[in-house]
Amino acid sequence: MIMENALAGKFLKPCFHLNSRKAILVLQKRKGIGTSHKFCYPSKFKIHPLVSHPLHLPNLEAGGVEIQESSYEGLVSDQEIVWPSPDDEIPFWKRDFPSWNVSPEVPNESSVKDSDLMHIIHVTAEMAPIAKVGGLGDVVTGLARASLSRGHTVDIVLPFYECIQKQQINDLALISTYDSYHDGNWIPTNAYRGVVSGIPVIFIEPSNEFFKGQQVYGGSYNELEAYLFFSRACLEWMQVTGAQPDIIHVHEWQIGALPLLYWDMYQYLSLKKPRIVLTIHNMEHYGECRQEQLSKCGLHGSMYATAEKAVDDRTIGHNPERLSLLKGGIVYSNAVV
């Protein structure tokens, strides 16, 4: 499948990255478009099935693209996958996901090394295997491993959930203590560094009730406000430590406020170098948010209550209208996957 966005015709140019059977549409800002994000057309997504034998993609700026059937060789067969069903005794998100005998360590050598090496920081609510609920955690870990194997510098920033089994983390150490803003207060926060599956991970641990509980999701705290705090705490950590990654790669609605915070706050401070990539893993979850909730991370929520920024179009005319963190992330990111 591919995803077409109404934005593509104006400010974004589609760029296809083809990997076996999957075609991922990356929306990149056109040259000459600034970062003020004052203009945005309503997003209307269309899903088109891709035919196979051979596989044809719709005509875009560069013309049609064709993948021969040989591209399918070596794929995991459908017979090796047990597809979930509503009748399953154990829901799929509570099962162990198969790894197909992948080594837990990052390969030292790769046949392909990238020439333009970058520092990439992934900011995410999940990471396999230590904080995995669904496919998000698997994708983040797999992408980080692949980038490391091609020579890039990669870090993952993750909430230090109380339920994380610390024995799964190698070389865990406290690296910094700082304060991060939430709802009028500066919360003492610890940052730890460890290694998981060969990947460097930064764990953010606030001193309040956020991320406490026996599961990744479903704690007794306000989950949305916890991720708003986490989004700012990640940027605050980069600010106080002087980190200047090339790419901050945010995942899902939970981190949707980070692009807003970056361009409207931290980019005016010392974080000048990074550019923002947002990956959407599940379109069903969009991070519904009230203006006063967004204000708790230090932004003025009312400033984003417009169709061009972050208002949830489905709530226009309602009382009150609500924001969508996922939409705000789309509008404020340099690229969307």
Side-chain angles (χ1 to χ4, degrees):
M1 291 181 166
I2 64 170
M3 182 175 68
E4 288 184 354
N5 189 325
L7 292 169
K10 290 290 182 181
F11 301 118
L12 309 171
K13 61 178 181 179
C15 172
F16 278 94
H17 295 261
L18 302 175
N19 180 8
S20 300
R21 293 171 68 181
K22 297 182 180 179
I24 302 175
L25 177 61
V26 180
L27 302 176
Q28 296 176 326
K29 293 276 176 81
R30 288 187 184 275
K31 292 181 179 179
I33 300 298
T35 57
S36 63
H37 309 284
K38 293 181 180 177
F39 306 100
C40 176
Y41 283 75
S43 300
K44 295 181 180 178
F45 296 100
K46 301 177 183 178
I47 302 297
H48 299 283
L50 297 178
V51 296
S52 57
H53 313 299
L55 174 62
H56 295 279
L57 299 174
N59 285 332
L60 296 170
E61 294 179 355
V65 183
E66 180 177 308
I67 308 174
Q68 298 299 330
E69 185 176 355
S70 61
S71 300
Y72 299 158
E73 294 177 359
L75 293 173
V76 176
S77 68
D78 288 349
Q79 287 73 20
E80 297 180 51
I81 302 174
V82 179
W83 296 104
S85 164
D87 300 324
D88 290 341
E89 182 177 351
I90 302 175
F92 75 91
W93 61 86
K94 292 186 177 179
R95 294 189 209 154
D96 290 333
F97 279 67
S99 62
W100 287 291
N101 299 319
V102 175
S103 167
E105 299 303 322
V106 176
N108 291 325
E109 297 294 333
S110 171
S111 58
V112 178
K113 295 290 185 181
D114 292 333
S115 57
D116 186 13
L117 297 180
M118 296 183 292
H119 180 197
I120 304 162
I121 293 182
H122 292 273
V123 183
T124 176
E126 296 184 32
M127 178 193 180
I130 58 171
K132 180 170 79 76
V133 176
L136 168 61
D138 295 299
V139 171
V140 169
T141 299
L143 180 57
R145 286 162 54 91
S147 297
L148 281 168
S149 70
R150 293 173 72 109
H152 299 281
T153 300
V154 180
D155 296 290
I156 292 177
V157 185
L158 184 73
F160 207 163
Y161 298 105
E162 186 180 40
C163 62
I164 287 179
Q165 302 297 312
K166 294 181 176 61
Q167 61 269 26
Q168 294 182 300
I169 308 170
N170 295 322
D171 303 324
L172 181 64
L174 177 68
I175 57 171
S176 58
T177 298
Y178 64 102
D179 295 333
S180 192
Y181 181 87
H182 176 70
D183 196 17
N185 300 302
W186 289 89
I187 308 300
T189 303
N190 292 328
Y192 297 82
R193 181 183 290 276
V195 178
V196 178
S197 298
I199 306 166
V201 183
I202 307 298
F203 298 93
I204 303 298
E205 181 187 55
S207 58
N208 60 12
E209 75 280 5
F210 291 158
F211 309 118
K212 301 293 193 297
Q214 299 308 306
Q215 295 180 332
V216 170
Y217 302 130
S220 59
Y221 53 88
N222 186 301
E223 205 164 77
L224 185 141
E225 292 183 13
Y227 288 116
L228 287 173
F229 168 84
F230 174 67
S231 295
R232 177 158 183 177
C234 293
L235 292 172
E236 191 68 30
W237 176 79
M238 297 179 206
Q239 166 89 4
V240 300
T241 60
Q244 292 282 352
D246 297 284
I247 300 293
I248 301 175
H249 193 150
V250 303
H251 297 266
E252 289 287 60
W253 71 264
Q254 290 97 329
I255 322 298
L258 188 147
L260 284 66
L261 285 158
Y262 176 74
W263 286 113
D264 285 349
M265 186 180 297
Y266 283 86
Q267 200 267 340
Y268 292 100
L269 301 173
S270 65
L271 279 176
K272 304 291 187 182
K273 184 178 181 181
R275 292 298 178 262
I276 309 295
V277 176
L278 165 67
T279 291
I280 304 169
H281 300 256
N282 188 340
M283 290 293 295
E284 292 185 5
H285 303 292
Y286 50 89
E288 184 178 294
C289 177
R290 300 191 306 273
Q291 294 181 31
E292 58 268 26
Q293 287 179 305
L294 182 60
S295 296
K296 291 187 177 183
C297 72
L299 297 171
H300 293 290
S302 59
M303 293 178 57
Y304 301 90
T306 65
E308 292 78 18
K309 290 188 175 181
V311 75
D312 187 335
D313 298 64
R314 293 169 295 185
T315 70
I316 293 177
H318 293 194
N319 186 16
E321 294 178 349
R322 292 177 292 278
L323 308 178
S324 166
L325 294 182
L326 183 60
K327 177 181 175 180
I330 292 171
V331 172
Y332 273 74
S333 293
N334 296 94
V336 177
V337 183

